[in-house]
Amino acid sequence: QAWLYEAEAGGYEKAWRQIMADNPFPAIMGRVCPAPCQEGCNRNEVEDFVGINSVEQWIGDNALAQGYAFETGEDTGKKVAVIGGGPAGMAAAYQLRRKGHGATVFESQPELGGMMRYGIPNYRIPRDKLAGEIQRIVDMGVEVKTGVRVGSDVTIEQLEKDYDAILWAVGCWSGRG
């Protein structure tokens, strides 16, 4: 029985790593995605659509439960300042570390997550799942500076001096009319 579980677990990790090539937040995306692909899914012609959002959520939750960790690329010596610790900024930090670049995330709020944390209610995104997916990115060696406002707490000129590049991922904190 143990060999069967190990084979299944390896397959689950492989599925997780495949998703992670593009999306470092499967446990979150699986919960909030409205699944527009389901209507046009060719499985509708056979049985029923594939609930890819449910699959993605399960893979993400399982990865957190199993403690799967990200791998970083070989160090390039390059450093990037990422302005904004929401989904775009954290995904950028993840991709930068995968390629071996240093990443420092500057976030004006007290915690990382952006609208995933401050705009979507806890019943849609359990905070433990959000914290787990964010921490996995931070554990790759991402430096984090929360409560720091670029332009007042640190100047753009200082960032240009200290980093090889600056990536702006400030998000959208005001709604549309």
Side-chain angles (χ1 to χ4, degrees), residues 19-172:
I19 286 175
M20 299 311 296
D22 297 316
N23 175 15
F25 298 107
I28 304 307
M29 290 301 297
R31 286 177 165 82
V32 299
C33 178
C37 59
Q38 289 179 356
E39 188 175 318
C41 183
N42 63 8
R43 290 292 304 168
N44 284 323
E45 297 172 22
V46 180
E47 297 170 326
D48 201 0
F49 59 81
V50 174
I52 194 68
N53 53 347
S54 298
V55 173
E56 195 168 13
Q57 177 184 332
W58 186 90
I59 289 172
D61 287 354
N62 183 63
L64 288 170
Q66 297 299 322
Y68 298 159
F70 294 136
E71 297 167 359
T72 59
E74 189 174 329
D75 187 13
T76 65
K78 301 288 185 186
K79 298 186 315 181
V80 178
V82 178
I83 316 305
M90 294 307 295
Y94 161 71
Q95 293 292 353
L96 288 164
R97 292 299 298 138
R98 282 185 65 210
K99 293 176 177 23
H101 307 307
T104 303
V105 175
F106 293 85
E107 172 55 54
S108 64
Q109 299 297 317
E111 295 184 75
L112 297 170
M115 284 297 165
M116 291 187 297
R117 177 177 304 283
Y118 297 107
I120 300 174
N122 191 27
Y123 70 86
R124 288 283 301 200
I125 297 179
R127 295 310 183 241
D128 62 326
K129 305 294 185 196
L130 178 61
E133 292 208 320
I134 289 172
Q135 189 60 50
R136 196 169 34 216
I137 294 170
V138 172
D139 289 346
M140 294 175 79
V142 173
E143 186 178 355
V144 174
K145 297 182 184 228
T146 56
V148 175
R149 206 161 183 71
V150 174
S152 57
D153 297 324
V154 62
T155 65
I156 296 170
E157 292 79 16
Q158 187 64 47
L159 294 177
E160 288 174 335
K161 179 180 165 198
D162 294 343
Y163 295 89
D164 297 295
I166 300 173
L167 184 133
W168 293 88
V170 294
C172 181

